[in-house]
Amino acid sequence: MKIFLDTASVEDIKIANDIIPLDGVTTNPTLILKEGKDYVKTLKEITKIVNGPISAETISLDAEGMVKEGKEFAKIHKNIVIKVPMTPEGMKACRIMTKSGIRINTTLIFSANQALLAAKAGTYLASPFLGRLDDIGEKGTELIKEMRQIYDNYGFKSQILAASIRSTDHVKEVAMMGADIATMPFKVYEQLFKHKLTDEGIKQFLDDWAKLQKDLKKK
Ligand code: E4P
């Protein structure tokens, strides 16, 4: 499974990418607002760090506006992927841009039927939002299972990008269910490395090493 960072923080992207190269990045207006920086400038910086799909989100509600914005974003770098919402206008925009060679990430997918439609429109990435489904009392990861089955049944090439990930358990579950990609906040990415037994094990080895040095000195 590919791992993307879901952030517009260039600093966090640099830190994560130095550990294990990231497979991609997703951004959205909320994430860029958090950083308070220019969107295009930030996207340019990210393309210099990460060699993989970098999603930039359109804000128009009509297909024409989305295509116009998408074409501008796509000029930034060949790795830019355009986010459009899962709406009829979004799917029109998806078809138009896909035809002209621009890759699309259909965002805000909350049902298997929406995912089916996004695949039929030729989306490159399909983004189900797990955490937000959990927030309204549904089981977000179920959607990944359903999408995997539908995409495999019909040989759709769209990649399932598990989004709105809130925990390391989400990451594990979507990996087991066969999501192609998981995009996650930096906080969750950091936690993936951690286990209390790893920390305890390191401490014990260091303590024993120090004891050995002491013993050797005595001899
Ligand atoms: C994905 O592309 C979205 O940016 C993101 O995962 C949304 O997550 P949230 O529900 O935590 O805002």
XYZ file of all heavy atoms in Angstrom, residues 8-91:
636
model
N -0.546 20.272 4.155
C 0.059 21.302 3.313
C 1.297 21.850 4.022
O 1.823 22.890 3.641
C -0.951 22.407 3.035
N 1.744 21.150 5.056
C 2.936 21.591 5.787
C 4.205 21.067 5.117
O 4.490 19.864 5.176
C 2.883 21.100 7.243
O 4.176 21.172 7.808
N 4.938 21.985 4.505
C 6.171 21.607 3.805
C 7.183 21.010 4.790
O 7.887 20.055 4.470
C 6.752 22.841 3.065
C 8.119 22.548 2.473
C 5.795 23.292 1.979
N 7.200 21.553 6.008
C 8.140 21.068 7.035
C 7.852 19.601 7.360
O 8.764 18.768 7.392
C 8.034 21.893 8.332
C 8.510 23.333 8.231
C 7.582 24.219 7.391
O 6.348 23.992 7.413
O 8.087 25.122 6.686
N 6.586 19.286 7.629
C 6.222 17.900 7.960
C 6.513 16.963 6.785
O 6.955 15.824 6.982
C 4.736 17.806 8.361
C 4.477 18.423 9.728
O 5.455 18.746 10.428
O 3.300 18.593 10.086
N 6.261 17.433 5.586
C 6.519 16.610 4.399
C 8.008 16.289 4.306
O 8.399 15.152 4.047
C 6.007 17.328 3.119
C 4.476 17.347 3.126
C 6.545 16.661 1.853
C 3.844 18.226 2.075
N 8.844 17.306 4.570
C 10.306 17.097 4.519
C 10.727 16.058 5.549
O 11.493 15.147 5.252
C 11.041 18.411 4.813
C 11.216 19.271 3.592
C 12.093 20.467 3.944
C 12.068 21.485 2.838
N 12.356 22.836 3.298
N 10.228 16.195 6.775
C 10.617 15.266 7.849
C 10.218 13.835 7.474
O 11.028 12.903 7.540
C 9.959 15.662 9.202
C 10.496 17.010 9.682
C 10.214 14.588 10.265
C 9.750 17.598 10.874
N 8.967 13.660 7.056
C 8.483 12.306 6.728
C 9.240 11.736 5.542
O 9.652 10.570 5.539
C 6.987 12.358 6.420
N 9.457 12.557 4.548
C 10.105 12.094 3.315
C 11.556 11.694 3.527
O 12.102 10.879 2.788
C 9.998 13.194 2.260
C 10.256 12.677 0.865
O 9.496 11.857 0.373
N 11.336 13.123 0.251
N 12.177 12.267 4.559
C 13.567 11.914 4.889
C 13.655 10.536 5.535
O 14.691 9.895 5.508
C 14.151 12.926 5.883
C 14.824 14.071 5.157
O 14.931 14.010 3.918
O 15.227 15.035 5.848
N 12.582 10.099 6.167
C 12.592 8.796 6.844
C 12.402 7.693 5.803
O 13.255 6.829 5.627
C 11.494 8.706 7.934
C 11.610 9.871 8.920
C 11.584 7.369 8.676
C 10.438 9.996 9.883
N 11.269 7.731 5.121
C 10.985 6.809 4.010
C 10.332 7.679 2.930
O 9.331 8.352 3.232
C 9.986 5.692 4.417
C 10.531 4.863 5.589
C 9.679 4.783 3.231
C 9.501 3.915 6.202
N 10.869 7.685 1.713
C 10.274 8.565 0.695
C 8.757 8.374 0.591
O 8.273 7.250 0.514
C 10.974 8.141 -0.600
C 12.283 7.594 -0.131
C 12.011 6.932 1.196
N 8.032 9.496 0.629
C 6.571 9.441 0.537
C 6.152 9.072 -0.877
O 6.842 9.410 -1.847
C 5.982 10.806 0.891
C 6.055 11.217 2.360
C 5.750 12.707 2.513
C 5.070 10.382 3.195
N 5.008 8.379 -0.982
C 4.503 8.007 -2.309
C 3.666 9.121 -2.919
O 3.352 9.074 -4.115
C 3.650 6.731 -2.194
C 4.486 5.549 -1.726
O 5.521 5.274 -2.363
O 4.122 4.912 -0.714
N 3.276 10.111 -2.103
C 2.466 11.213 -2.620
C 1.973 12.084 -1.484
O 2.261 11.820 -0.306
N 1.210 13.123 -1.859
C 0.673 14.078 -0.871
C -0.737 14.472 -1.305
O -1.019 14.573 -2.503
C 1.574 15.343 -0.800
C 0.943 16.432 0.063
C 2.967 15.002 -0.277
N -1.623 14.664 -0.316
C -2.937 15.241 -0.618
C -3.069 16.550 0.160
O -2.596 16.649 1.297
C -4.088 14.285 -0.220
O -3.873 13.824 1.118
C -4.181 13.095 -1.153
N -3.707 17.521 -0.482
C -3.955 18.806 0.187
C -5.427 19.158 -0.020
O -6.096 18.556 -0.865
C -3.093 19.941 -0.401
O -3.528 20.190 -1.755
C -1.615 19.608 -0.398
N -5.907 20.108 0.736
C -7.263 20.637 0.514
C -7.313 22.058 1.081
O -6.362 22.493 1.759
C -8.322 19.701 1.126
C -8.250 19.622 2.640
O -7.965 20.603 3.322
N -8.519 18.445 3.194
N -8.382 22.814 0.805
C -8.437 24.203 1.267
C -8.293 24.345 2.788
O -7.688 25.301 3.272
C -9.815 24.672 0.795
C -10.098 23.837 -0.408
C -9.527 22.494 -0.091
N -8.821 23.386 3.549
C -8.721 23.465 5.011
C -7.263 23.331 5.451
O -6.793 24.053 6.345
C -9.579 22.344 5.660
O -10.890 22.417 5.112
C -9.641 22.474 7.164
N -6.550 22.418 4.817
C -5.147 22.184 5.188
C -4.269 23.380 4.820
O -3.357 23.741 5.570
C -4.623 20.908 4.505
C -5.273 19.597 4.970
C -4.866 18.434 4.061
C -4.899 19.282 6.421
N -4.565 24.016 3.690
C -3.747 25.169 3.277
C -4.087 26.386 4.157
O -3.204 27.173 4.500
C -3.871 25.471 1.754
C -2.782 26.433 1.297
C -5.219 25.944 1.319
C -1.420 25.837 1.165
N -5.345 26.468 4.586
C -5.741 27.547 5.510
C -4.956 27.433 6.816
O -4.484 28.431 7.367
C -7.255 27.466 5.786
C -7.789 28.349 6.918
C -7.789 29.827 6.506
C -9.203 27.939 7.328
N -4.783 26.197 7.285
C -4.038 25.939 8.520
C -2.619 26.482 8.428
O -2.057 26.989 9.391
C -3.959 24.424 8.714
C -4.392 23.934 10.062
C -3.936 22.493 10.200
C -4.952 21.599 10.806
N -4.557 20.196 10.677
N -2.025 26.361 7.231
C -0.637 26.813 7.039
C -0.576 28.317 6.779
O 0.463 28.941 6.973
C 0.019 26.066 5.871
C 0.100 24.556 6.054
C 0.761 24.133 7.360
O 1.835 24.666 7.673
O 0.180 23.279 8.077
N -1.687 28.867 6.253
C -1.765 30.303 5.967
C -0.795 30.767 4.897
O -0.312 31.900 4.930
N -0.504 29.890 3.923
C 0.452 30.255 2.863
C -0.228 30.208 1.495
O -1.313 29.650 1.351
C 1.620 29.270 2.885
C 2.522 29.436 4.091
C 3.752 28.565 3.920
C 4.615 28.623 5.170
N 5.514 27.471 5.251
N 0.463 30.746 0.487
C -0.060 30.741 -0.873
C -0.132 29.305 -1.391
O 0.838 28.544 -1.282
C 0.865 31.587 -1.762
C 0.390 31.606 -3.192
O -0.585 32.324 -3.466
O 0.972 30.888 -4.017
N -1.280 28.936 -1.975
C -1.501 27.533 -2.375
C -0.533 27.099 -3.478
O 0.138 26.071 -3.376
C -2.962 27.372 -2.823
C -3.485 25.943 -2.821
C -2.767 24.881 -2.271
C -4.745 25.645 -3.371
C -3.269 23.581 -2.255
C -5.261 24.351 -3.362
C -4.510 23.325 -2.805
O -5.014 22.036 -2.797
N -0.468 27.919 -4.546
C 0.370 27.536 -5.689
C 1.840 27.425 -5.279
O 2.539 26.460 -5.627
C 0.193 28.537 -6.863
C 1.208 28.282 -7.970
C -1.227 28.428 -7.412
N 2.297 28.407 -4.496
C 3.690 28.401 -4.022
C 3.963 27.122 -3.226
O 5.000 26.465 -3.374
C 3.916 29.593 -3.087
C 4.877 30.620 -3.619
C 5.057 31.611 -2.514
C 6.064 32.672 -2.782
N 5.977 33.709 -1.755
N 3.027 26.786 -2.348
C 3.182 25.595 -1.500
C 3.222 24.333 -2.360
O 4.069 23.446 -2.153
C 2.017 25.508 -0.486
O 1.987 26.726 0.255
C 2.186 24.346 0.465
N 2.330 24.259 -3.335
C 2.315 23.068 -4.205
C 3.645 22.931 -4.945
O 4.194 21.830 -5.069
C 1.155 23.163 -5.208
C -0.256 22.987 -4.624
C -1.310 23.422 -5.630
C -0.499 21.543 -4.189
N 4.162 24.073 -5.415
C 5.465 24.047 -6.114
C 6.539 23.480 -5.201
O 7.342 22.644 -5.606
C 5.867 25.464 -6.548
C 5.271 25.862 -7.874
C 5.814 27.215 -8.320
C 4.994 27.689 -9.509
N 5.095 29.115 -9.744
N 6.553 23.955 -3.959
C 7.569 23.464 -3.000
C 7.422 21.963 -2.787
O 8.406 21.235 -2.744
C 7.411 24.182 -1.652
C 8.003 25.572 -1.630
C 7.918 26.168 -0.229
O 8.424 25.564 0.720
O 7.291 27.247 -0.103
N 6.177 21.500 -2.653
C 5.942 20.072 -2.403
C 6.437 19.232 -3.587
O 7.036 18.173 -3.404
C 4.451 19.785 -2.096
C 4.010 20.531 -0.831
C 4.201 18.284 -1.935
C 2.518 20.481 -0.531
N 6.225 19.733 -4.803
C 6.668 18.951 -5.981
C 8.190 18.799 -5.995
O 8.709 17.868 -6.610
C 6.231 19.603 -7.316
O 6.810 20.907 -7.406
C 4.731 19.662 -7.455
N 8.882 19.710 -5.342
C 10.353 19.610 -5.307
C 10.814 18.566 -4.289
O 11.949 18.108 -4.325
C 10.976 20.961 -4.968
C 10.899 21.911 -6.146
C 11.588 23.225 -5.844
C 11.226 24.259 -6.900
N 10.973 25.578 -6.337
N 9.947 18.228 -3.358
C 10.329 17.277 -2.295
C 9.875 15.852 -2.614
O 10.632 14.898 -2.474
C 9.731 17.706 -0.931
C 10.126 19.144 -0.601
C 10.159 16.756 0.182
C 9.277 19.772 0.490
N 8.614 15.733 -3.033
C 8.016 14.392 -3.192
C 7.872 14.028 -4.665
O 7.349 14.806 -5.466
C 6.624 14.353 -2.501
C 5.939 13.006 -2.736
C 6.770 14.620 -1.006
N 8.323 12.817 -4.979
C 8.204 12.347 -6.350
C 7.029 11.373 -6.455
O 7.201 10.161 -6.408
C 9.518 11.672 -6.770
C 9.485 11.259 -8.228
O 8.681 11.783 -9.004
N 10.322 10.302 -8.592
N 5.828 11.933 -6.521
C 4.614 11.119 -6.599
C 3.430 12.052 -6.758
O 3.602 13.279 -6.731
N 2.235 11.505 -6.914
C 1.053 12.349 -7.120
C 0.810 13.323 -5.964
O 0.862 12.932 -4.792
C -0.094 11.329 -7.203
C 0.550 10.026 -7.507
C 1.914 10.071 -6.891
N 0.572 14.582 -6.328
C 0.305 15.621 -5.325
C -1.051 16.240 -5.679
O -1.197 16.843 -6.746
C 1.435 16.672 -5.322
C 2.717 16.006 -4.800
C 1.076 17.882 -4.471
C 3.967 16.538 -5.379
N -2.021 16.037 -4.798
C -3.382 16.482 -5.115
C -3.611 17.937 -4.756
O -3.308 18.368 -3.644
C -4.411 15.626 -4.366
O -4.411 14.315 -4.861
N -4.191 18.673 -5.735
C -4.562 20.079 -5.542
C -6.066 20.185 -5.747
O -6.583 19.677 -6.745
C -3.824 20.949 -6.549
N -6.756 20.842 -4.822
C -8.224 20.831 -4.865
C -8.827 22.059 -5.543
O -8.463 23.197 -5.237
C -8.771 20.706 -3.437
C -10.280 20.543 -3.393
C -10.736 19.664 -2.243
O -9.891 19.114 -1.519
O -11.958 19.533 -2.088
N -9.793 21.811 -6.436
C -10.521 22.904 -7.089
C -11.629 23.373 -6.138
O -12.063 22.612 -5.276
C -11.174 22.416 -8.403
O -12.006 21.290 -8.122
C -10.113 22.024 -9.419
N -12.090 24.631 -6.351
C -13.160 25.114 -5.466
C -14.438 25.508 -6.223
O -15.460 25.778 -5.600
C -12.691 26.301 -4.577
C -11.970 27.346 -5.412
C -11.823 25.837 -3.421
C -12.125 28.724 -4.860
N -14.379 25.506 -7.555
C -15.588 25.828 -8.326
C -16.629 24.738 -8.129
O -16.282 23.591 -7.825
C -15.262 25.906 -9.824
O -14.464 27.020 -10.089
N -17.884 25.107 -8.362
C -18.953 24.101 -8.232
C -19.408 23.603 -9.598
O -20.086 22.579 -9.699
C -20.147 24.692 -7.469
C -19.859 25.054 -5.998
C -21.088 25.679 -5.348
C -19.418 23.813 -5.207
N -19.046 24.329 -10.666
C -19.436 23.897 -12.008
C -18.237 23.303 -12.751
O -17.086 23.657 -12.474
C -20.000 25.083 -12.804
C -18.965 26.173 -12.986
O -18.364 26.605 -11.967
O -18.703 26.562 -14.134
N -18.556 22.413 -13.690
C -17.500 21.687 -14.404
C -16.532 22.642 -15.113
O -15.316 22.460 -15.041
C -18.122 20.719 -15.409
N -17.100 23.658 -15.734
C -16.256 24.598 -16.485
C -15.216 25.257 -15.572
O -14.034 25.343 -15.898
C -17.158 25.668 -17.119
C -16.495 26.416 -18.254
C -17.399 27.542 -18.756
O -18.640 27.366 -18.716
O -16.860 28.586 -19.151
N -15.684 25.704 -14.411
C -14.781 26.344 -13.449
C -13.730 25.369 -12.938
O -12.548 25.714 -12.805
N -14.141 24.140 -12.668
C -13.188 23.124 -12.169
C -12.112 22.853 -13.212
O -10.932 22.737 -12.887
C -13.917 21.808 -11.868
C -14.804 21.844 -10.649
S -15.624 20.217 -10.455
C -17.116 20.704 -9.623
N -12.540 22.761 -14.475
C -11.579 22.464 -15.551
C -10.580 23.624 -15.664
O -9.371 23.406 -15.790
C -12.306 22.213 -16.895
C -11.314 22.112 -18.039
C -13.158 20.947 -16.799
N -11.101 24.851 -15.571
C -10.240 26.031 -15.672
C -9.194 26.018 -14.545
O -7.991 26.173 -14.790
C -11.105 27.292 -15.574
C -10.441 28.517 -16.119
C -11.457 29.620 -16.347
C -10.707 30.931 -16.472
N -11.119 31.941 -15.540
N -9.671 25.800 -13.322
C -8.743 25.759 -12.171
C -7.768 24.583 -12.294
O -6.578 24.719 -12.040
C -9.524 25.568 -10.867
C -10.247 26.783 -10.382
C -11.078 26.414 -9.153
O -10.531 25.827 -8.204
O -12.293 26.682 -9.178
N -8.319 23.451 -12.690
C -7.506 22.240 -12.799
C -6.371 22.409 -13.799
O -5.228 22.009 -13.543
N -6.694 23.037 -14.921
C -5.663 23.239 -15.950
C -4.540 24.134 -15.436
O -3.383 23.927 -15.762
C -6.280 23.803 -17.235
C -7.016 22.726 -18.023
C -7.475 23.201 -19.378
C -7.993 22.005 -20.176
N -8.788 22.394 -21.338
N -4.904 25.133 -14.644
C -3.883 26.029 -14.061
C -2.983 25.259 -13.086
O -1.759 25.354 -13.157
C -4.547 27.200 -13.327
C -5.028 28.316 -14.225
C -3.947 28.826 -15.192
O -2.843 29.189 -14.706
O -4.206 28.842 -16.412
N -3.612 24.485 -12.198
C -2.837 23.685 -11.240
C -1.922 22.702 -11.984
O -0.781 22.480 -11.601
C -3.761 22.880 -10.316
C -4.376 23.644 -9.182
C -5.705 23.423 -8.827
C -3.638 24.557 -8.432
C -6.289 24.105 -7.754
C -4.200 25.236 -7.360
C -5.534 25.014 -7.028
N -2.468 22.100 -13.032
C -1.715 21.056 -13.745
C -0.437 21.613 -14.389
O 0.510 20.861 -14.626
C -2.594 20.392 -14.796
N -0.433 22.929 -14.646
C 0.758 23.562 -15.243
C 1.930 23.580 -14.260
O 3.082 23.705 -14.661
C 0.445 25.019 -15.628
C -0.349 25.153 -16.904
C -0.515 26.640 -17.204
C -1.616 26.856 -18.241
N -2.153 28.222 -18.181
N 1.641 23.468 -12.979
C 2.694 23.572 -11.953
C 3.732 22.475 -12.120
O 4.931 22.716 -12.101
C 2.090 23.506 -10.515
C 1.181 24.706 -10.280
C 3.194 23.437 -9.462
C 0.420 24.640 -8.948
N 3.255 21.232 -12.307
C 4.188 20.088 -12.379
C 3.430 18.879 -12.905
O 2.215 18.764 -12.673
C 4.742 19.795 -10.974
C 5.922 18.883 -10.954
N 5.802 17.511 -10.988
C 7.250 19.133 -10.912
C 7.000 16.960 -10.956
N 7.904 17.927 -10.914
N 4.133 17.965 -13.524
C 3.468 16.768 -14.083
C 2.870 15.865 -12.991
O 1.984 15.052 -13.261
C 4.432 15.976 -14.973
C 5.623 15.378 -14.235
C 6.445 14.486 -15.154
C 7.734 13.967 -14.551
N 7.784 13.583 -13.154
N 3.347 15.998 -11.759
C 2.821 15.145 -10.680
C 1.549 15.678 -10.022
O 1.001 15.039 -9.133
C 3.886 14.946 -9.588
C 4.936 13.943 -10.024
O 4.739 13.195 -10.977
N 6.074 13.939 -9.342
N 1.124 16.868 -10.437
C -0.097 17.415 -9.825
C -1.328 16.644 -10.320
O -1.506 16.424 -11.519
C -0.263 18.926 -10.149
C 0.864 19.752 -9.513
C -1.639 19.437 -9.723
C 0.792 19.928 -8.004
N -2.150 16.230 -9.351
C -3.410 15.532 -9.629
C -4.518 16.462 -9.156
O -4.390 17.090 -8.089
C -3.451 14.187 -8.868
C -4.825 13.540 -8.947
C -2.393 13.233 -9.421
N -5.594 16.567 -9.937
C -6.635 17.551 -9.616
C -7.790 16.915 -8.850
O -8.389 15.936 -9.296
C -7.178 18.209 -10.919
C -6.011 18.789 -11.747
C -8.211 19.277 -10.586
C -5.122 19.780 -11.019
N -8.090 17.538 -7.710
C -9.202 17.044 -6.888
C -10.500 17.715 -7.332
O -10.576 18.957 -7.377
C -8.958 17.427 -5.435
C -8.336 16.332 -4.594
C -8.201 16.874 -3.181
C -8.016 15.828 -2.166
N -7.909 16.401 -0.822
N -11.496 16.885 -7.609
C -12.841 17.410 -7.870
C -13.801 16.684 -6.931
O -13.559 15.528 -6.568
C -13.285 17.205 -9.352
C -12.377 17.943 -10.304
C -13.363 15.724 -9.708
N -14.901 17.340 -6.545
C -15.829 16.669 -5.628
C -16.699 15.642 -6.343
O -16.912 15.725 -7.555
C -16.696 17.830 -5.107
C -16.654 18.843 -6.198
C -15.301 18.728 -6.855
N -17.207 14.700 -5.583
C -18.084 13.654 -6.115
C -19.484 14.222 -6.329
O -20.394 14.018 -5.512
C -18.086 12.464 -5.143
C -19.004 11.321 -5.538
S -18.662 10.719 -7.165
C -20.277 10.822 -7.902
N -19.619 14.990 -7.419
C -20.920 15.563 -7.803
C -21.065 15.346 -9.309
O -20.057 15.064 -9.982
C -20.955 17.089 -7.539
O -19.897 17.710 -8.311
C -20.766 17.432 -6.064
N -22.273 15.505 -9.861
C -22.407 15.378 -11.324
C -21.450 16.331 -12.060
O -20.798 15.937 -13.028
C -23.873 15.727 -11.579
C -24.569 15.321 -10.306
C -23.589 15.645 -9.198
N -21.334 17.585 -11.584
C -20.425 18.534 -12.242
C -18.968 18.087 -12.088
O -18.158 18.204 -13.010
C -20.605 19.939 -11.652
C -21.905 20.622 -12.049
C -22.031 20.848 -13.560
O -21.136 21.471 -14.150
O -23.044 20.403 -14.126
N -18.649 17.549 -10.924
C -17.292 17.046 -10.689
C -16.956 15.905 -11.652
O -15.849 15.819 -12.173
N -17.924 15.047 -11.883
C -17.684 13.906 -12.771
C -17.576 14.336 -14.236
O -16.826 13.755 -15.006
C -18.772 12.831 -12.571
C -18.728 12.175 -11.188
S -17.085 11.474 -10.755
C -16.265 12.843 -9.972
